[in-house]
Amino acid sequence: MSTPGLRAGPSQEEIRRHNLGALLRYVHINGATTRAELTGELGLNRSTIGALTSDLATAGLVTEETPRASGAAQTGRAGRPSLVVRPLSTLVYTYAVSVDVDRIRAARVGLGGEILDRREKPRDGDPGVEGTVAAITEFISDMHGDTPGDALHMGTGVAVTGTVRAHGGLVHLGGDLDTVGEALTSALTEVLGAEAPMSVGKVADLSAMAEHARGVATGCGNVLYLYGDVGVGAGIISGGHRITSHTGYGGEVGHMVVRAGGHPCGCGSKGCWVTEIGEHALLRAASVDGATGREALLSVIDAAARGDGEAQAAVRQVGDWLGFGVANLVNIFNPEMVVFGGTMRDLYLATAASLRSRLNSMVLPACRENLRLRTPKLGDDAALIGAAELAFEHLLADPLEGPGAAGQ
């Protein structure tokens, strides 16, 4: 007879599936790993690790090899060497897509994070959801033709420069809050089919996810990733987990008001942070008319480095406001690391001195004591890797329910 108010503990099958996911996630992130290392890292006994790796191998997700065959280093221990478990990167994959302001990119990414194939084209004008879907479909069709026939497709992840609603994949491409949102997820699913999961997230969020898992922020539990283009967004890792917000519209730090009565913003407000540090802000401060894009921004930074007085003043001004906003965010989130991606990387590198000065004057001593400022290790690939990580989540949560592996 059960006691009212008490929940039954997890079943043996639930524990097994949890352990399968934990093991596969470890190998996915860390690459080829010996059974002995898995035993120590996961806190499970040798026989359990052996059973789990055998299940994953049977499901076609990993391989097991002797250290000599895999190239792994010998441990020097007597007896049989510990088998090496490695992800089947070439045969277990997702499609990853990044819809940037000026281009559309797609890649086939294997389990373990290896980019196996990629495509890219300029994003001319504003093709909207219909044109974006057409480009993505063309890329995926091309890559599918080069994919082994026995490979397992685990899903598609899409990183979008703009805003994304948590439910339904409703997006405002490019971040223009005045445009009508369109359901990118349903449009892609209609064309590509629903056999594997489709997931959509913001570039800043997914780049933060990638840098935390595989990049410069590995091992950091609290990370702020700032991404810039014509807008400014943030991906936030807190306690080792990505903050997704209530409806998915969180992280719009570019619309933090920093200058009451300042420049008008596309959101309808005035004095938003993006109006002081965005691409257009630097070009306006440097009196550059008619030019847009990252190349124009870099030309101003280059001119400042070569001694152009007006360009130097513009860079100092934007750097000061960059530090102003970062200081506020550091006081709020107390991160271990702030990572500057997209055009924020270029601005950070050009204005590091003035930014540090702002942080020293505005940030609480306890919050800046061990703060690290970094640029992305994964570079522009962070969004693609993050999109792939998002797509792999379904598999890593329950490896035996992934497409092609169910029922094992």
Side-chain angles (χ1 to χ4, degrees), residues 197-221:
M198 178 81 61
S199 305
V200 179
K202 294 190 294 187
V203 165
D205 283 341
L206 301 189
S207 296
M209 189 177 180
E211 290 292 340
H212 176 249
R214 302 181 179 280
V216 70
T218 300
C220 293

Side-chain angles (χ1 to χ4, degrees), residues 232-257:
V232 178
I236 303 164
I237 304 292
S238 179
H241 300 284
R242 181 169 61 99
I243 292 180
T244 56
S245 75
H246 174 51
T247 56
Y249 291 122
E252 292 299 318
V253 295
H255 296 289
M256 170 177 62
V257 175

Side-chain angles (χ1 to χ4, degrees), residues 270-285:
K270 290 184 177 181
C272 291
W273 195 29
V274 67
T275 67
E276 301 294 345
I277 68 167
E279 171 190 307
H280 299 312
L282 182 64
L283 298 177
R284 180 184 64 242

Side-chain angles (χ1 to χ4, degrees), residues 2-3 30 36 39 43 64 81 154-155 397:
S2 62
T3 304
N30 295 283
T39 298
E64 293 187 280
M154 295 300 171

Side-chain angles (χ1 to χ4, degrees), residues 40-51:
E41 290 293 334
L42 301 182
L44 301 172
N45 61 47
R46 292 172 60 187
S47 61
T48 298
I49 291 294

Side-chain angles (χ1 to χ4, degrees), residues 72-103:
Q74 297 288 346
T75 62
R77 295 177 181 174
R80 294 180 60 186
S82 180
L83 292 177
V84 173
V85 183
R86 65 172 66 246
L88 255 174
S89 298
T90 57
L91 295 180
V92 183
Y93 70 95
T94 66
Y95 289 119
V97 177
S98 181
V99 182
D100 305 325
V101 169
D102 57 352
R103 59 183 174 169

Side-chain angles (χ1 to χ4, degrees), residues 273-360:
W273 195 29
V274 67
T275 67
E276 301 294 345
I277 68 167
E279 171 190 307
H280 299 312
L282 182 64
L283 298 177
R284 180 184 64 242
S287 301
V288 176
D289 299 321
T292 60
R294 191 168 187 173
E295 291 303 316
L297 181 143
L298 290 173
S299 69
V300 173
I301 292 174
D302 181 63
R306 289 185 286 104
D308 184 291
E310 188 171 20
Q312 288 177 333
V315 168
R316 281 196 302 270
Q317 176 181 315
V318 170
D320 189 48
W321 282 112
L322 178 61
F324 188 97
V326 173
N328 283 324
L329 293 172
V330 169
N331 280 332
I332 294 169
F333 292 105
N334 185 207
E336 299 165 63
M337 181 181 291
V338 179
V339 183
F340 299 86
T343 56
M344 288 296 100
R345 174 188 180 277
D346 306 314
L347 288 175
Y348 163 67
L349 292 175
T351 65
S354 56
L355 187 150
R356 274 289 185 186
S357 177
R358 268 293 189 184
L359 296 187
N360 289 336

